[in-house]
């Protein structure tokens, strides 16, 4: 009896090595994998984040001490900041920047100590798949805007007021801030919750359900909402996590998060939504759920049609 030969393409799998890695297991795909490495990445990322916060806000304090007029202006903004009034440009900017700084912190920490190549934090391709991201953004824009139009239409038919607040007196400034800051804020949250946390859990637990579901409570706690609002956020987090696993990258989740938040804050600036609302309505929850389901459906269908990679072949890690 002759001994079967092993193809050179299958040689890496001869010792029970996986043939490929899904997104949540990419931490194990790296040659520098160690079970404790994600914990070190977290510690370093927190250090970077605190350093970024200090470098951002310390100059403001110094300027306020040197120039009393600036200090007085900051004092006037304290009430809005204490109340987390997101219709106030200063408060909005501070809140967005405090979240955005998580993005360079986790990217730098991962670049220094994370899996190789560092782009595995983004997708199985080891990078952001820009064409796929653009496509997902277009789909998100169509689905989210369509859902909101339906919601406004139903509200008008049932006699609900179209305007729920006054048009922001700083409308132009708010719209500029929304367009400049919200995309990075949404991306920061996705890189933390659907990137770092999913891959950290996936390093230790094989089944994707753990990586998808375990970060959800943390994501909900990070949003100060009442019951219906928490349900809404939880459904979004589950859908975003599942899409990340199903499409092999963060592109779809980031696109949906960006488009959703940009529309909410832009409409809020026009007085069509209350950006400070801490809860949702049953109707709002139904609309949000419908938008999420439709987006998931069209993205998965498009991903299958385009053969978007869901896993990273084992041998690809030796070529980076």
């Amino acid at each position: 009896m002759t001994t079967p030969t092993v193809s050179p393409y299958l040689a890496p799998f001869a010792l029970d090595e996986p043939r490929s890695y899904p997104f949540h297991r990419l931490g194990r795909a790296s040659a520098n994998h160690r079970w404790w490495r994600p914990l070190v990445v977290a510690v370093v990322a927190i250090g970077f984040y605190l350093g970024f916060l200090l470098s951002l806000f310390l100059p403001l304090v110094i300027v306020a001490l040197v120039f009393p007029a600036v200090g007085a202006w900051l004092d006037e903004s304290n009430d809005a900041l204490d109340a987390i009034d997101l219709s106030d440009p200063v408060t909005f900017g501070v809140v967005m920047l405090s979240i955005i700084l998580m993005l360079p912190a986790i990217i730098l920490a991962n670049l220094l100590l994370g899996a190789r190549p560092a782009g595995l934090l983004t997708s199985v391709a080891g990078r952001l798949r820009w064409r796929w991201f653009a496509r997902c953004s277009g789909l998100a824009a169509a689905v989210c805007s369509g859902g909101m139009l339906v919601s406004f239409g139903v509200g008008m038919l049932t006699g609900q007021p179209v305007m729920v607040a006054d048009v922001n007196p700083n409308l132009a400034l708010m719209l500029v801030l929304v367009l400049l800051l919200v995309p990075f804020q949404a991306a920061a949250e996705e890189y933390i919750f659907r990137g770092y946390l999913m891959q950290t859990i996936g390093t230790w637990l094989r089944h994707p359900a753990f990586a998808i579901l375990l970060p959800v409570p943390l994501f909900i706690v990070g949003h100060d909402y009442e019951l219906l609002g928490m349900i809404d956020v939880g459904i979004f987090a589950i859908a975003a996590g599942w899409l990340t696993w199903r499409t092999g990258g963060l592109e779809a989740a980031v696109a949906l998060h960006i488009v959703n938040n940009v529309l909410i804050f832009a409409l809020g600036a026009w007085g069509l939504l209350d950006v400070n609302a801490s809860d949702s309505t049953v109707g709002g929850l139904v609309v949000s759920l419908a938008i999420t389901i439709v987006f998931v459906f069209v993205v998965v269908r498009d991903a299958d049609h385009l053969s978007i990679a869901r896993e990273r072949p084992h041998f690809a890690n030796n070529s980076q």
Side-chain angles (χ1 to χ4, degrees), residues 62-219:
I62 295 174
V63 170
L65 292 175
V66 176
F67 299 99
V70 176
W73 174 73
L74 290 175
D75 287 338
E76 292 176 0
S77 302
N78 276 343
D79 291 338
L81 190 58
D82 290 340
I84 314 296
D85 180 7
L86 293 177
S87 65
D88 174 70
V90 175
T91 302
F92 181 81
V94 170
V95 171
M96 291 296 107
L97 286 173
S98 66
I99 297 173
I100 288 170
L101 291 177
M102 295 190 299
L103 184 58
I106 192 62
I107 289 178
L108 283 175
N110 185 69
L111 183 63
L112 290 175
L113 297 165
R116 295 290 184 270
L120 292 179
L121 186 64
T122 301
S123 78
V124 296
R127 57 180 174 80
L128 183 69
R129 298 168 291 189
W130 285 101
R131 290 186 180 180
W132 174 234
F133 173 68
R135 194 172 183 93
C136 289
S137 298
L139 293 173
V143 173
C144 290
S145 59
M148 289 188 177
L149 284 174
V150 170
S151 177
F152 284 127
V154 171
M156 293 175 65
L157 290 175
T158 57
Q160 297 179 7
V162 175
M163 302 288 290
V164 299
D166 295 331
V167 175
N168 196 304
N170 301 296
L171 177 62
L173 176 59
M174 282 299 300
L175 291 177
V176 170
L177 290 175
V178 167
L179 293 176
L180 288 178
L181 300 180
V182 169
F184 295 101
Q185 168 262 323
E189 292 187 11
E190 291 307 311
Y191 269 84
I192 294 294
F193 290 97
R194 257 66 68 180
Y196 168 76
L197 285 178
M198 275 189 66
Q199 290 187 357
T200 296
I201 295 169
T203 297
W204 302 324
L205 302 173
R206 182 183 299 273
H207 199 283
F210 293 110
I212 294 170
L213 296 177
L214 289 181
V216 172
L218 293 176
F219 189 71

Side-chain angles (χ1 to χ4, degrees), residues 236-285:
F236 173 87
I238 294 171
W242 188 83
L243 269 179
T244 298
W245 168 77
R246 180 62 173 76
T247 62
L250 294 173
E251 295 90 352
V254 171
L256 178 60
H257 204 151
I258 289 175
V259 170
N260 178 74
N261 285 15
V262 165
L263 284 176
I264 287 175
F265 286 115
L267 292 173
W270 284 100
L272 298 173
L273 289 175
D274 181 5
V275 295
N276 293 312
S278 61
D279 203 2
S280 177
T281 63
V282 174
L285 180 60

